[in-house]
Amino acid sequence: MSLRSALLTLLSSGPSTGYDIAKNFHSSVGFLWHAPDSQIYPELKKMQAEQLLTGYPVPWGSKGATKTEYAITDAGIAHLREWYAKPVAYRPERSEVRLRSAYFEFATDDEARRCLQDHLEHHQQVVDDVQFQIDELHEGSSAIHQSRLAQYPPAEHTKITQFKVFAYEGILQQARAEITWATQGLELLDSFESTGR
């Protein structure tokens, strides 16, 4: 998946300014595909140049200023359909925390414990954040999701919503597995400390 595919999926819910795209990206699609603002804004301009998006000025503030609002084009929708037609490209795993844990002999017990505790806390925050997104989808309180649903017949709303929840639940399951793994590592450290080894 590329950043542009992620941005196009977001814009398929309706037109949005660059600022709102970045904000909504981090609170929705960003859980599935990370990108900083420094990549998002240039990619929007590239997609506009390639006619996957249109960009047009809209009023901003009270002194005649404007900002750019983007909307997906037919070419952008075609790009999404082509992306879906291709198989997923799986990449080899890269995990710094697992690499570190495999060689904890170079760390003190306190450093090893901090590494695993940080990992656990990070993924607990992921669980909390993603669960919030799932709750919003179930409650119907996500404005961007409501905008997306408005483009489809009511008979399709449940299916669309459930697949969003399904995607987020995949992230939840991964994060919970990481919490379990880090907890097991902390217990392993405790066991060595208790035996003095």
Side-chain angles (χ1 to χ4, degrees), residues 106-126:
F106 294 104
T108 66
D109 284 353
D110 285 345
E111 289 168 340
R113 185 174 299 283
R114 185 178 67 243
C115 176
L116 293 171
Q117 188 63 42
D118 287 350
H119 191 71
L120 189 155
E121 290 171 6
H122 168 78
H123 284 92
Q124 184 57 59
Q125 187 63 56
V126 171

Side-chain angles (χ1 to χ4, degrees), residues 19-93:
Y19 171 79
D20 288 333
I21 290 167
K23 182 178 70 173
N24 291 328
F25 187 95
H26 296 306
S27 66
S28 60
V29 179
F31 289 108
L32 309 172
W33 188 265
H34 172 75
D37 290 355
S38 60
Q39 291 179 359
I40 290 172
Y41 288 103
E43 189 63 27
L44 290 171
K45 293 189 180 304
K46 286 181 192 174
M47 289 193 293
Q48 182 182 0
E50 294 173 32
Q51 300 182 342
L52 300 175
L53 303 176
T54 57
Y56 43 87
V58 293
W60 180 60
S62 57
K63 297 184 178 180
T66 62
K67 56 184 175 178
T68 302
E69 186 168 78
Y70 295 94
I72 194 168
T73 62
D74 289 343
I77 295 292
H79 179 89
L80 278 178
R81 296 195 188 284
E82 289 169 15
W83 169 60
Y84 267 103
K86 297 176 184 174
V88 173
Y90 290 95
R91 292 172 176 79
E93 179 72 15

Side-chain angles (χ1 to χ4, degrees), residues 17 47 52 55 76 83 99 138 141 144 164 173:
T17 64
M47 289 193 293
L52 300 175
W83 169 60
L99 180 61
H138 282 311
S141 57
I144 191 166
K164 297 285 181 298
Q173 290 170 15

